[in-house]
Structure formats: structure tokens, C-alpha cells
Amino acid sequence: PLSTELESSSRRTALRHAAAGGTLLAAPAFVRSQAKRQAAKVSVGRIPWAAGNSPMTQFMINNSLFEKRAAEFGYDLTVDWREYPTALPMVEAIVGNNLDMGMWGNTPIIRAISAKLPISLMVVGEGHLRFVIATRQGSAIRTLQDLQGKTVGTLLGGDPYNAFSQMLRHELGSANPRDHGIKVVNTPTLAQAAQVPTGTDATCAIYPAFLAAESTGSVAIMNSFGYTESYYQGPLGKGAGILLPSVKKSAFYPDGYYLHRSFWLAHNALIDKHPNLVVAFLMAQQEAVAALTAMESGAVSQLVKDYWKLDPVAGGKVVKDDVLFARGWSWPTENDALAVLETSKYLVDNKVIPQPLAWSQVKGAFERTAPLVRQAYDRLGSKPAAAEFLRTDAADLRGRPVWDMQQWAERS
């Protein structure tokens, strides 16, 4: 069974009635409303070593936002926050009916949809994460072309590998490392990849972990946004901030070579039995995003300094990259969903799944939650105007919100 455990309202009422000496019916309205509350426990998985979800969930925890929003729906909620290094153990917990909610990247989401696991996507958990090609100070690797014939470490079956393959596709002409004589080895933790372990010439690492590893000698040559990093030296010049022309060939530009989005999801059993708890979570999450967007980025990063191990200057860079804080909202759009569809095609190339997802499968993953997302959006006083979803001058791809799914374009 799911970890959500609701007590019988009638049993609670009877116990409180007895404790009050039979005077409950004469009690003030506030006391009567308290007696009607349902006790609930919901388990929520988070990855505090990743990007935007980390300070966002920490802010929710520090301010009991989920519990407070649940109280508006008559719940006395206990949240069992669980920390995971990656999404894989969360998948196992969902399969074992031992987790109610979690945040996953594209790869585990696609595999879950393909396997018909009983999960539904809710809102964006983080996005536009910067993946960097890292090597060691003094290395002869200064461009992506220099990786040919080398050994590269990355998280196989995860977003770092997907981002790496798309950099190869547009810079070298093929997404398959073998076509370039590149041997890929698995680096199972984000911190390990950032430190460019012995036996690898380079790695594809996430930005928060890379910044923490710079003091150990890690350097970077380029990133998934399509720009050079400080250790780059090649035909375009030397140093960071040079736009790589090949990124403009990507279907995901201006997001970059790779359309990174991670989504919050929930077990369908929770959604079907207690939809108001889902609405409460969505409202609490957006409340946290709005509050953190209004804060100075360095201060936001210090909420999770124990995880990121970054000072306000370095941590602020991670916060500024994240799509949550660039937008100021987390509502999923058509192009956010497109990240799932397109990445599924890459996973076929890499033999992770037998065939790409159909657009109907991606949309189906939102069907249960779309009305709940709209309800949360409507209940919040401060929210983006409709025009914000359709902006084309932003640094991220957007589109019609999930509750307008019937107007999304047909795709194959």
C-alpha cells in the first residue's frame, strides 16, 4: 500500500467527543473544524544534490508549506521527505508502492511511461540544468573534438549521458560515441563525475557538482547551453562565453543542445484517492518558487549549502540557470512535455527502450493531473498571465499550459 494513511473521520470525532466529556457539539466552530480533519502521511522524494528542486524543496520544508496548504483542504498532514542521490532508487520505491511523489529527469520518466508504471506527471521540478564537459587542469583536451579516441565518464541512462550525446550529434555529426572512438564508462554519482575520476579523460557533469569540484582541479571546456567554458581553446578562440555555432542547429535552441526538464510526479493511487493533496502540493511548490524568485540568487543557494557545498557566488550561478527561477513559475507547457517526447527518440538510439514514445503517451502522462494543475493555478492569487506561456523572446522554450493540452500541436 501507499504510505498515505488516513484515519477514520468518525473514529477521530468519537474520540475527541469522549475526551471533551460530550461537549463537542457545543464547542466553537474552530474546534469543530479541527475535529473534522483527516490525518494523512505522504512520502515525497527529493534530490537535494541536483539543481532548482533543492532550494525549492528546502524552502517548502523550512516553512511547512505543503502541510499548510493541505490544511486548507481539511488534512492534518505529515510529510515524509526522503533524500535520494538520483532518480533510480525512487523508481524502485514507486514500483514497490513505497513512495507517493518524487522528482525525476527525462530518462526515468520515459522508461516509466514505456513500462506503463502507474505514475502521472505534475509540474516542472527543475530545468535548463547546465551540463559541462569536464577534464583535469593540464589536460590536452580543450575542445569536444579532442575527445575522439578518449574515455568519457557519465551517468549512463541519465540526463548527463543524453546531454553528452546531443553535444556529439551537433558538434561531431553523430550522437553515438562509438562513431568517434569514444569509450563511455558509468559514473554512478554526480559528485564522482565532477571530479573526473582516474581512468577517465573527461566527464559530462552537472554544474552544481562541477563548481564544487573546481578546487580539486576540475576544469570545463563547453556546456550544454552551447557556449564554451573557461578551459576551452580552439578555432573560436579561448575561454568562456563563446557561442558554438552548432547549437543553433538543435531543435531545442535557445535552450541548448538538450532540452532538460525534470518533473514532479505522483503515484496514480494517490491522485485518484486524494486529489486535493496533489493540489495542495502544487500550490505549495509554486508558492516556494515565487518566494525564491524574489530573493537574491546567492541567498537562495545558501539554503542548501550543506548539499551543494558552494559559496553564494558559485551557488548563485546554479540558481540563475534554472528555468524555475527564470520563469518564476513551475506550470508545465507544451515544450516542457516535448522534452519527454524527443528524449525518448535518443533512448531508442542508445537501446534503452525498444521504440520512442508516442505523443499520445506523453500527453496521457498528464491527463490525470492537468485539471489539478489548473485548479492550483486558479486558487493562487499571484500567477503568470496567459501571454507569459507563449513568449518566444525568453531563453527557454515554452508553449500552451498543460490545461490547454487539447490545443497542443500533433507530433510524431
Side-chain angles (χ1 to χ4, degrees), residues 357-371:
L357 297 179
W359 188 227
S360 59
Q361 288 177 284
V362 176
K363 292 168 67 175
F366 289 98
E367 283 180 351
R368 273 183 170 84
T369 55

Side-chain angles (χ1 to χ4, degrees), residues 64-82:
S64 302
L65 296 187
F66 191 6
E67 294 89 336
K68 291 175 182 176
R69 289 295 184 178
E72 296 177 17
F73 293 95
Y75 287 99
D76 182 7
L77 180 65
T78 299
V79 185
D80 176 15
W81 290 98
R82 302 178 187 175

Side-chain angles (χ1 to χ4, degrees), residues 88-336:
L88 181 58
M90 274 195 268
V91 177
E92 295 171 351
I94 285 280
V95 171
N97 289 332
N98 191 35
L99 186 68
D100 296 327
M101 295 181 178
M103 193 209 72
W104 302 354
N106 287 334
T107 302
I109 285 173
I110 291 163
R111 297 180 74 170
I113 295 173
S114 181
K116 299 181 180 180
L117 294 187
I119 57 101
S120 293
L121 307 184
M122 297 190 293
V123 288
V124 177
E126 62 185 29
H128 200 57
L129 177 60
R130 183 186 306 224
F131 299 90
V132 299
I133 303 300
T135 187
R136 305 294 296 177
Q137 185 70 45
S139 168
I141 296 171
R142 310 299 288 261
T143 69
L144 199 71
Q145 286 73 14
D146 294 335
L147 293 181
Q148 295 176 94
K150 300 296 194 296
T151 298
V152 177
T154 191
L155 180 63
L156 292 177
D159 282 321
Y161 179 81
N162 292 333
F164 176 54
S165 69
Q166 293 316 298
M167 292 185 228
L168 293 179
R169 178 189 298 274
H170 295 288
E171 272 288 285
L172 301 185
S174 170
N176 190 336
R178 290 190 295 273
D179 291 341
H180 315 294
I182 297 172
K183 179 183 178 181
V184 177
V185 297
N186 187 44
T187 50
T189 71
L190 304 175
Q192 182 182 11
Q195 293 175 12
V196 193
T198 301
T200 63
D201 299 299
T203 61
C204 185
I206 68 167
Y207 201 41
F210 167 75
L211 291 172
E214 280 188 300
S215 62
T216 71
S218 293
V219 290
I221 61 172
M222 66 174 290
N223 62 53
S224 57
F225 297 166
Y227 289 87
T228 60
E229 291 283 347
S230 61
Y231 199 64
Y232 174 87
Q233 184 174 336
L236 299 175
K238 183 178 180 180
I242 304 171
L243 180 69
L244 295 159
S246 66
V247 73
K248 293 187 176 181
K249 301 175 186 176
S250 170
F252 307 134
Y253 184 77
D255 248 84
Y257 291 111
Y258 182 60
L259 185 56
H260 169 258
R261 297 291 187 269
S262 293
F263 291 92
W264 283 102
L265 54 93
H267 198 295
N268 287 342
L270 176 68
I271 298 168
D272 292 343
K273 289 183 66 176
H274 307 292
N276 283 341
L277 281 177
V278 175
V279 176
F281 177 84
L282 299 175
M283 294 175 68
Q285 200 242 17
Q286 176 54 32
E287 185 179 357
V289 170
L292 296 183
T293 301
M295 289 173 57
E296 193 275 324
S297 58
V300 172
S301 75
Q302 295 309 284
L303 291 172
V304 289
K305 61 182 179 181
D306 291 342
Y307 300 99
W308 287 359
K309 309 296 184 185
L310 299 175
D311 61 31
V313 174
K317 295 178 182 178
V318 179
V319 172
K320 288 178 181 177
D321 276 349
D322 202 281
V323 73
L324 288 179
F325 309 122
R327 290 176 175 176
W329 42 271
S330 57
W331 316 114
T333 71
E334 180 176 2
N335 280 314
D336 296 328

